[in-house]
Amino acid sequence: MQSLNRSRTQSRANRSLSLGGMDFAEPKKKNNFVGKILLTAVLTALCILMLKQSPNFNTPSVFSHHEEGVTHLLVTGGAGYIGSHAALRLLKDSYRVTIVDNLSRGNLGAVKVLQELFPEPGRLQFIYADLGDAKAVNRIFSENAFDAVMHFAAVAYVGESTLDPLKYYHNITSNTLVVLEAMASHNVKTLIYSSTCATYGEPEKMPITEETPQIPINPYGKAKKMAEDIILDFHKNSNMAVMILRYFNVIGSDPEGRLGEAPRPELREHGRISGACFDAARGIISGLKVRGTDYKTADGTCIRDYIDVTDLVDAHVKALEKAKPGNVGIYNVGTGRGRSVKEFVEACKKATEVSIKVDFLERRPGDYAEVLADPTKILHELNWTARYTDLQESLKVAWRWQKSHLNGYGPVLVSSI
């Protein structure tokens, strides 16, 4: 009995006391709890201090500051057909490249190819953003130290522009204004602007020189000319170096087969003739549609100046190298040789070795009979001339990429970039 009473007494002594509905824990346990909190706080503070002293903690990105001997290019639309080829050339030439693209027309697969080719830190970064978002664009400029901008980003189909003109004015004219404002705010002094021969419309005289009056006849050309006018007006009171390249019909792909023009099914109706030829050769479409056979040309079809994408990119790099503060350079980028649509189709048949069915249809709204460049000025001032002028060979190179990439670049997850 005595032992039982003693045990009950000891048990009561270890209980908390309750007075007026309030519990009071044992003082010793309370002190231990507070001590643990203090110890945890001290250890956390020490860890943070040690991390901050580490050279790898909170180190600013190499893209965020200027580095002597390194030129950092912002390439807008760098996931697209032309922009990705330009990024490839710039990276090969040891430029630092930041690609900004909203992927509405570009391909993450092209960016992934570039990242695999140039995996070294500080060479290439990709930023998913829309140039129509002024806050996002300003943030990109504030977080990165750009030395120059190559502005490729644009929707670029004549037929589509006639069906949805507001889209073109927003995407081309308005977005260029956003980029220019960001450049001005963040003191980026060099702009290489990707323009088009569509700004000339349908001139009375051929070939087209840089002095040919600009009278565009479709929303695509009008939107590009408006963007040019904005750039030139701004330049009058700035020290910016501006190069405007008006180029003609782009074909071909990387000769080493790393990049190409990925087909976009939703744009087949408006896309380039080369893409349509390849689709017909692959049997994706039943045949090639040639729009317009009653133009005032030798065979009744449109005449165009086809420029290989490799040559086009070379012109952009030479323009970058020759850009000078306070100066404006405007250049036509073409071969100076016109080829009719019928000639193009025959070259495509030979390049693909496929007998492509051709359907001749009525003219496409907004098209023009003949467009041919006079490349004299760019030869004299930038020492540039087209080298890849064999139409069939350019198509053959592009066809080789198409055959080895039947699904374009294939699916690429955003998280993998």
Side-chain angles (χ1 to χ4, degrees):
M1 292 292 292
Q2 290 180 349
S3 63
L4 288 173
N5 290 335
R6 188 180 302 114
S7 175
R8 180 177 294 177
T9 303
Q10 291 172 346
S11 176
R12 286 177 177 175
N14 291 330
R15 295 176 185 171
S16 62
L17 301 177
S18 179
L19 295 174
M22 299 176 64
D23 290 338
F24 291 87
E26 182 179 325
K28 184 176 181 180
K29 288 188 175 181
K30 182 178 180 181
N31 291 337
N32 288 340
F33 180 71
V34 173
K36 288 179 180 178
I37 292 176
L38 290 173
L39 179 61
T40 301
V42 170
L43 290 174
T44 301
L46 286 172
C47 288
I48 293 173
L49 181 62
M50 292 173 65
L51 282 171
K52 284 187 174 181
Q53 291 177 343
S54 170
N56 294 323
F57 181 81
N58 203 29
T59 302
S61 164
V62 293
F63 294 91
S64 66
H65 62 271
H66 295 283
E67 185 175 334
E68 187 176 354
V70 177
T71 303
H72 183 185
L73 265 291
L74 167 61
V75 180
T76 70
Y81 168 45
I82 300 171
S84 62
H85 281 78
L88 173 61
R89 169 63 186 274
L90 291 168
L91 289 163
K92 285 174 62 179
D93 288 357
S94 298
Y95 288 93
R96 177 172 290 159
V97 174
T98 292
I99 290 174
V100 172
D101 202 302
N102 69 359
L103 302 177
S104 63
R105 299 288 162 96
N107 291 277
L108 276 175
V111 178
K112 188 170 180 61
V113 168
L114 294 172
Q115 289 179 327
E116 290 172 350
L117 289 170
F118 302 94
E120 305 89 352
R123 297 302 312 283
L124 169 67
Q125 69 170 336
F126 170 74
I127 300 174
Y128 174 79
D130 192 309
L131 297 182
D133 185 343
K135 289 184 179 179
V137 172
N138 188 66
R139 183 169 63 252
I140 290 168
F141 273 80
S142 63
E143 293 175 355
N144 294 275
F146 299 124
D147 297 295
V149 174
M150 277 194 183
H151 184 27
F152 292 99
V155 285
Y157 297 111
V158 169
E160 184 188 34
S161 77
T162 63
L163 297 174
D164 193 356
L166 295 184
K167 178 178 183 176
Y168 274 66
Y169 293 121
H170 273 293
N171 182 273
I172 295 173
T173 310
S174 179
N175 288 5
T176 298
L177 177 59
V178 171
V179 171
L180 196 62
E181 288 175 333
M183 291 180 68
S185 297
H186 297 275
N187 201 33
V188 181
K189 292 291 190 179
T190 301
L191 173 63
I192 313 299
Y193 183 60
S194 169
S195 192
T196 170
C197 63
T199 63
Y200 294 112
E202 193 169 15
E204 295 180 0
K205 295 182 180 180
M206 289 291 157
I208 296 171
T209 72
E210 289 78 2
E211 302 304 318
T212 297
Q214 290 177 288
I215 310 174
I217 62 174
N218 53 60
Y220 171 53
K222 291 175 183 177
K224 281 287 190 178
K225 183 181 183 303
M226 288 181 187
E228 284 191 20
D229 290 342
I230 291 170
I231 293 168
L232 295 175
D233 283 343
F234 170 75
H235 180 269
K236 292 175 183 177
N237 297 310
S238 81
N239 197 38
M240 183 179 287
V242 172
M243 292 292 206
I244 296 174
L245 302 184
R246 297 171 184 157
Y247 48 84
F248 291 64
N249 292 60
V250 188
I251 59 171
S253 65
D254 170 44
E256 296 183 39
R258 295 162 294 188
L259 297 172
E261 183 177 10
R264 299 190 69 91
E266 75 277 16
L267 294 170
R268 282 196 163 99
E269 186 67 20
H270 305 294
R272 295 178 178 86
I273 187 174
S274 56
C277 278
F278 296 148
D279 281 347
R282 289 174 55 187
I284 294 174
I285 56 178
S286 60
L288 182 63
K289 297 177 181 179
V290 174
R291 298 184 180 276
T293 59
D294 60 347
Y295 289 99
K296 294 180 180 179
T297 59
D299 61 21
T301 61
C302 295
I303 292 176
R304 297 289 183 265
D305 189 338
Y306 295 99
I307 178 76
D308 192 286
V309 67
T310 302
D311 281 330
L312 178 61
V313 166
D314 184 55
H316 281 76
V317 173
K318 281 186 166 58
L320 175 64
E321 293 171 347
K322 297 286 187 178
K324 295 181 180 179
N327 288 357
V328 175
I330 300 175
Y331 303 97
N332 289 334
V333 187
T335 65
R337 179 182 176 186
R339 316 284 180 74
S340 74
V341 171
K342 284 185 178 179
E343 286 182 271
F344 188 97
V345 172
E346 290 305 311
C348 191
K349 287 180 180 179
K350 292 177 181 178
T352 61
E353 299 181 343
V354 176
S355 181
I356 299 169
K357 177 187 174 184
V358 181
D359 296 321
F360 295 98
L361 306 175
E362 293 182 354
R363 295 186 184 190
R364 182 174 58 180
D367 257 342
Y368 18 75
E370 184 177 10
V371 177
L372 178 63
D374 180 348
T376 302
K377 182 180 178 183
I378 194 170
L379 170 62
H380 288 165
E381 296 188 10
L382 301 187
N383 193 31
W384 177 91
T385 188
R387 294 179 298 157
Y388 299 88
T389 57
D390 186 321
L391 181 59
Q392 184 177 323
E393 183 61 27
S394 289
L395 291 173
K396 188 175 181 180
V397 170
W399 173 241
R400 189 161 56 237
W401 187 89
Q402 290 278 332
K403 286 197 300 181
S404 62
H405 297 79
L406 296 179
N407 296 315
Y409 289 101
V412 181
L413 299 177
V414 174
S415 60
S416 68
I417 298 299

